[in-house]
């Protein structure tokens, strides 16, 4: 079952979030993690979808950010984070999460959903190329 996460899901979300950060070899402070969680459940331009099994275990999540843009009069939906627990992979959960994001974006009149992934994440790219068009863009970044 895919549904929006709510404040009661924090204890299920946190271990998956930490695993996701570990996958990207990233570390965030507790303050940033709590701020992220609060934004996902309370800010109007952020949402978190969760994939649950029949026992109520959280198997994966998709975090989105809705934002305006200069190329269209409607908003964009940025799929910022997508993660499925290792033991639950290859069961179609990531695809279901992406489809839930697509439905949300359509229902909210977004004109596109987009995301990025690490170039070495080839297993995810196999799925992504079935669900969307791969763009030939290069990302540049400067962090502060």
């Amino acid at each position: 079952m895919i549904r929006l996460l709510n404040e009661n899901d924090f204890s299920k979300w946190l271990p998956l979030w930490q695993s996701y950060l570990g996958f990207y070899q990233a570390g965030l402070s507790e303050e940033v993690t709590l701020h992220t969680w609060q934004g996902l459940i309370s800010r109007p331009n952020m949402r978190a979808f969760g994939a649950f099994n029949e026992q109520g275990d959280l198997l994966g999540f998709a975090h989105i950010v809705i934002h305006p843009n200069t190329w269209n009069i409607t908003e964009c939906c940025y799929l910022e984070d997508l993660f499925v627990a290792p033991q639950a992979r290859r069961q179609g959960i990531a695809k279901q999460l992406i489809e839930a994001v697509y439905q949300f974006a359509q229902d909210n009149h977004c004109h596109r959903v987009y995301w990025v992934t690490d170039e070495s994440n080839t297993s995810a790219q196999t799925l992504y190329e079935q669900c969307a068009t791969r763009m030939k863009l290069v990302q540049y970044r400067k962090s502060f």
Side-chain angles (χ1 to χ4, degrees):
M1 173 183 69
I2 308 292
R3 67 166 172 80
L4 288 171
L5 297 182
N6 63 54
E7 61 277 349
N8 298 321
D9 296 316
F10 179 75
S11 64
K12 295 176 181 181
W13 171 84
L14 184 59
L16 283 185
W17 175 246
Q18 291 168 334
S19 293
Y20 174 72
L21 295 174
F23 176 81
Y24 281 107
Q25 300 176 358
L28 295 178
S29 69
E30 182 178 344
E31 177 185 21
V32 170
T33 291
L34 292 175
H35 184 267
T36 297
W37 173 252
Q38 286 302 313
L40 290 169
I41 62 168
S42 65
R43 290 185 64 181
N45 65 330
M46 296 176 75
R47 296 286 188 282
F49 294 88
F52 294 83
N53 64 14
E54 295 86 23
Q55 295 76 35
D57 301 316
L58 181 61
L59 304 176
F61 61 72
H63 301 157
I64 62 171
V65 178
I66 307 298
H67 65 86
N69 66 97
T70 60
W71 289 52
N72 199 290
I73 60 172
T74 60
E75 294 182 313
C76 291
C77 178
Y78 176 48
L79 175 52
E80 188 162 22
D81 309 303
L82 177 66
F83 184 74
V84 175
Q87 70 275 13
R89 292 183 183 157
R90 305 214 183 280
Q91 299 176 30
I93 294 168
K95 186 174 183 182
Q96 290 173 26
L97 286 163
I98 290 169
E99 289 172 355
V101 169
Y102 284 170
Q103 188 63 56
F104 178 88
Q106 288 179 323
D107 292 347
N108 288 276
H109 311 290
C110 295
H111 77 278
R112 76 170 170 235
V113 174
Y114 70 102
W115 64 92
V116 298
T117 193
D118 191 276
E119 66 183 354
S120 67
N121 194 355
T122 56
S123 62
Q125 289 174 40
T126 300
L127 169 64
Y128 299 161
E129 290 177 9
Q130 296 171 25
C131 299
T133 302
R134 183 180 186 142
M135 304 300 293
K136 296 183 189 277
L137 301 171
V138 177
Q139 183 187 58
Y140 291 88
R141 179 182 295 185
K142 180 172 176 71
S143 297
F144 299 99

